[in-house]
């Protein structure tokens, strides 16, 4: 993790699987505004970049410069932003310096999508390449496929000349060694944070997601982040959504697609994200589980919403009028 876990989140996660919360006992899903910075304006005008977590601030700045410099499509700006935390070892959940799997090997997931024609690409379980998001772009632009995994993804990345790198930083190796000394070694459900970026320029959406996934995951585990519709989705006609948190929940609910479809049906970004998040929470509670899931959505009117099942979510927004601002997420009332 690139930031300390706040005590509330710790308490919440410690309760994982403990409480028996039947779906029938669920309260109405109102939102509680989180402490800290203020909520974003009702809607943004013009160009926009949004992304998950505090490390989204630096990523957004890079994506914003790329938009300003006139990339052929906003998806390339989203990818330019995603490359920032991929290269930053201080971000311990993305790219170099992220967390390895249970065998100490880094396996990275990423995807990209454009909202004008639904072109998209992804890589899962990619080993040894510095920028999985760039490989995902190449899957989109230079193959007839959507998702490449493991060895094949690596061969493709090498064939396209992508930068190879030992992704295990000294700090990540130390975290892994510490985890190995524990007697019981469940993969910590709270130890992951994906960056998902949405770019919007003149009605055109782009999207990029990249992560090292669930820390100390089973080798071969694939999360939501490389899966179009689960970890991210965009369509100029409806809106865009990216997700972070326990990816298994996003896959079960095809979460990003579900949010975009709700916006297609006329809901705002906030209404759509809340509706889908409530459904996700109802179902994981029905499995006697508690976990962190956050959805970040942008609608076609420039409405932005970041909602989460816990109180620690933050998202970064960059636009012409406000520059870069970090906003607190909103969480579903208990
Ligand atoms: N969604 C990512 C995964 O499950 C991790 C995260 O965003 O926290 O791989």
């Amino acid at each position: 993790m690139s930031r300390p876990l706040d005590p509330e989140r710790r308490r919440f996660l410690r309760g994982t699987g403990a409480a028996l919360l039947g779906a029938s006992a669920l309260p109405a899903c109102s939102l509680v505004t989180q402490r800290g910075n203020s909520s974003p304006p009702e809607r943004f005008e013009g160009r926009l970049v949004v992304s998950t977590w505090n490390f989204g601030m630096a990523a957004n700045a890079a994506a914003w410069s790329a938009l300003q410099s006139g990339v052929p499509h906003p998806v390339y700006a989203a990818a330019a932003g995603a490359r920032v935390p991929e290269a930053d070892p201080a971000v311990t959940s993305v790219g170099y310096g992220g967390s390895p799997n249970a065998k100490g090997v880094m396996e990275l997931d990423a995807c990209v999508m454009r909202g004008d024609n639904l072109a998209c690409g992804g890589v899962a379980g990619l080993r040894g390449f510095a920028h999985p998001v760039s490989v995902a772009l190449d899957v989109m632009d230079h193959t007839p496929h959507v998702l490449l995994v493991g060895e094949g993804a690596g061969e493709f990345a090498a064939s396209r000349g992508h930068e190879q790198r030992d992704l295990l930083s000294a700090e990540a190796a130390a975290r892994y060694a510490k985890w190995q000394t524990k007697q019981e070694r469940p993969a910590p459900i709270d130890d992951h944070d994906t960056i998902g970026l949405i770019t919007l320029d003149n009605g055109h959406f782009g999207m990029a997601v990249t992560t090292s996934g669930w820390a100390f995951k089973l080798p071969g585990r694939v999360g939501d982040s490389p899966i179009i519709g689960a970890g991210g989705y965009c369509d100029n006609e409806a809106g865009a959504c990216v997700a972070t948190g326990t990816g298994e929940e996003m896959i079960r609910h095809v979460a990003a697609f579900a949010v975009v479809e709700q916006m297609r049906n006329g809901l705002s970004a906030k209404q759509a994200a809340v509706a889908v998040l409530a459904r996700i929470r109802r179902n994981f509670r029905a499995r006697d589980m508690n976990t962190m899931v956050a959805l970040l959505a942008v609608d076609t009117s420039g409405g932005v919403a970041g909602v989460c099942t816990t109180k620690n979510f933050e998202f970064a927004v960059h636009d012409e009028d406000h520059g870069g601002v970090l906003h607190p997420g909103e969480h579903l009332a208990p």
Side-chain angles (χ1 to χ4, degrees):
M1 304 275 293
S2 58
R3 58 187 163 59
L5 214 54
D6 74 70
E8 176 149 10
R9 190 181 186 195
R10 275 187 204 287
R11 265 199 309 281
F12 183 84
L13 292 161
R14 225 181 280 132
T16 297
L20 259 173
L21 295 166
S24 59
L26 284 175
C29 286
S30 54
L31 285 170
V32 179
T33 303
Q34 212 169 295
R35 67 189 176 280
N37 305 330
S38 60
S39 296
E42 213 39 19
R43 55 191 71 261
F44 291 86
E45 306 284 343
R47 282 183 175 149
L48 186 62
V49 182
V50 306
S51 64
T52 54
W53 303 114
N54 57 358
F55 46 83
M57 291 293 284
N60 282 6
W64 183 258
S65 316
L67 273 184
Q68 299 289 76
S69 70
V71 282
H73 186 276
V75 69
Y76 300 101
R83 281 191 283 271
V84 173
E86 281 183 345
D88 183 353
V91 180
T92 60
S93 49
V94 177
Y96 173 66
S99 290
N101 68 18
K103 286 191 171 166
V105 178
M106 297 288 297
E107 291 185 328
L108 305 182
D109 296 340
C111 75
V112 294
M113 187 169 195
R114 48 189 289 170
D116 55 344
N117 58 11
L118 307 197
C120 52
V123 287
L126 182 69
R127 297 179 175 193
F129 287 87
H131 291 295
V133 77
S134 302
V135 185
L137 272 181
D138 268 0
V139 172
M140 177 178 83
D141 286 338
H142 298 287
T143 81
H145 307 308
V146 162
L147 181 60
L148 296 181
V149 305
E151 206 180 316
E155 283 171 12
F156 171 73
S159 77
R160 297 285 313 165
H162 285 275
E163 181 192 342
Q164 305 200 16
R165 181 168 198 183
D166 178 1
L167 295 164
L168 194 67
S169 67
E171 290 76 12
R175 289 198 306 278
Y176 176 68
K178 191 172 168 203
W179 174 74
Q180 276 197 306
T181 62
K182 293 188 179 156
Q183 228 165 30
E184 285 179 26
R185 297 201 295 263
I189 197 165
D190 56 333
D191 206 351
H192 45 84
D193 281 341
T194 295
I195 185 150
L197 293 105
I198 295 168
T199 43
L200 176 61
D201 191 3
N202 199 22
H204 287 269
F205 280 105
M207 179 280 286
V209 183
T210 181
T211 190
S212 57
W214 192 329
F216 320 133
K217 60 196 173 188
L218 285 178
R221 179 264 187 186
V222 174
D224 59 313
S225 305
I227 298 179
I228 296 297
Y233 198 79
C234 65
D235 182 337
N236 288 357
E237 291 178 0
C241 179
V242 290
T244 177
T246 303
E248 282 70 6
E249 297 306 323
M250 267 66 93
I251 295 173
R252 278 188 185 100
H253 295 86
V254 201
F257 179 73
V259 171
V260 171
E261 288 309 289
Q262 297 272 17
M263 293 190 285
R264 193 190 304 281
N265 292 334
L267 297 196
S268 68
K270 185 177 284 189
Q271 289 167 331
V274 168
V276 173
L277 193 67
R279 189 189 312 158
I280 292 172
R281 188 177 67 172
R282 187 170 66 241
N283 285 321
F284 70 58
R285 284 180 169 181
R287 279 179 269 114
D288 302 335
M289 191 182 159
N290 257 341
T291 197
M292 195 282 281
V293 169
L295 301 172
L296 178 59
V298 181
D299 59 41
T300 53
S301 316
V304 174
V307 298
C308 188
T309 55
T310 56
K311 292 185 178 179
N312 61 312
F313 182 55
E314 297 171 301
F315 61 97
V317 181
H318 199 118
D319 78 332
E320 186 72 56
D321 291 345
H322 308 86
V325 180
L326 187 66
H327 295 282
E330 293 181 86
H331 68 98
L332 293 180

